[in-house]
């Protein structure tokens, strides 16, 4: 879970600062692949499109993680037109609206519509686009794991990734939820 999205978080949203990006950007030309994971919702980064463009010009294969909340026409076009390979993961953590609202506190049908829109836009480039959902397994969603696989199949995804939320092997863990 991205810490800046957790209930009760007091840390500011993580962004690539101009200083960090100015040091990273020259390395893009030397990269064959770049991964944007664990830095909050990268699709909201003020430089998202500039970073995508820089990676495209350098021939970089991208690996992106998103919660699926951002789905503008500009995002769809930029990713559909990206000239190289993309692996995109949607962090979902639920297979039903009730569980999604409990864990994420947001609009499950809207996220599913967004994923469907991205999948439609990827159709012409499908061989160069690997799409998955990730699912952090916790007590409140463990029973929905089979339904998550069915959902991934219905959406036409390549993979559903399950990650257990465990601390020192203790199965009595809890997560902060919206409610």
């Amino acid at each position: 879970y991205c810490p800046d999205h957790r209930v009760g978080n007091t840390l500011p949203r993580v962004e690539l600062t101009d200083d960090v990006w100015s040091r990273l950007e020259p390395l893009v030309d030397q990269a064959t692949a770049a991964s944007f994971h664990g830095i909050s919702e990268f699709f909201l980064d003020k430089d998202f499109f500039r970073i995508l463009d820089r990676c495209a010009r350098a021939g970089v294969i991208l690996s992106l993680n998103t919660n699926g909340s951002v789905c503008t026409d500009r995002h769809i076009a930029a990713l559909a037109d990206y000239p190289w390979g993309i692996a995109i993961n949607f962090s979902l953590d639920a297979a039903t609206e009730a569980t999604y609202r409990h864990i994420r506190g947001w609009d499950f049908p809207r996220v599913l519509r967004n994923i469907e829109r991205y999948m439609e836009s990827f159709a012409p480039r499908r061989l160069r686009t690997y799409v998955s959902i990730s699912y952090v397994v916790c007590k409140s969603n463990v029973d929905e794991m089979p339904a998550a696989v069915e959902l991934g199949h219905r959406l036409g995804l390549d993979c559903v990734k399950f990650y257990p939320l465990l601390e020192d092997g203790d199965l009595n863990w809890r997560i902060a939820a919206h409610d």
Side-chain angles (χ1 to χ4, degrees):
Y1 288 4
C2 298
D4 60 342
H5 293 137
R6 295 196 72 175
V7 173
N9 171 63
T10 58
L11 298 172
R13 176 173 293 280
V14 178
E15 292 184 16
L16 291 176
T17 64
D18 291 338
D19 176 57
V20 170
W21 182 244
S22 70
R23 293 187 329 227
L24 283 173
E25 194 167 8
L27 301 175
V28 169
D29 293 330
Q30 300 170 41
T32 56
S35 186
F36 295 94
H37 293 255
I39 54 170
S40 186
E41 178 52 55
F42 178 56
F43 286 35
L44 291 176
D45 191 281
K46 64 181 175 47
D47 293 317
F48 176 84
F49 297 104
R50 190 171 66 77
I51 292 169
L52 226 60
D53 181 60
R54 176 67 187 248
C55 289
R57 285 185 280 119
V60 172
I61 296 169
L62 289 177
S63 178
L64 306 173
N65 192 64
T66 177
N67 62 23
S69 64
V70 179
C71 186
T72 68
D73 291 342
R74 188 173 179 202
H75 283 85
I76 288 173
L79 293 171
D81 294 340
Y82 192 78
W84 312 106
I86 297 175
I88 185 168
N89 180 72
F90 294 93
S91 298
L92 211 52
D93 305 327
T96 65
E97 184 173 0
T99 301
Y100 187 82
R101 185 159 305 281
H102 174 74
I103 292 174
R104 294 276 181 146
W106 211 65
D107 188 343
F108 188 66
R110 180 174 171 184
V111 170
L112 293 183
R113 283 191 307 272
N114 289 349
I115 294 172
E116 289 168 345
R117 284 187 67 204
Y118 279 114
M119 292 304 290
E120 288 171 13
S121 75
F122 294 155
R125 60 162 292 125
R126 196 61 178 95
L127 294 177
R128 293 178 292 133
T129 308
Y130 183 86
V131 188
S132 61
I133 57 174
S134 60
Y135 191 104
V136 176
V137 182
C138 51
K139 284 186 176 183
S140 57
N141 69 4
V142 67
D143 293 337
E144 291 185 8
M145 291 172 68
V149 173
E150 292 168 358
L151 176 62
H153 179 72
R154 183 179 64 77
L155 292 169
L157 307 180
D158 297 298
C159 180
V160 177
K161 303 172 188 177
F162 294 104
Y163 299 102
L165 179 64
L166 298 174
E167 295 178 5
D168 300 323
D170 179 11
L171 295 178
N172 293 317
W173 30 255
R174 300 170 68 80
I175 64 164
H178 179 68
D179 61 354

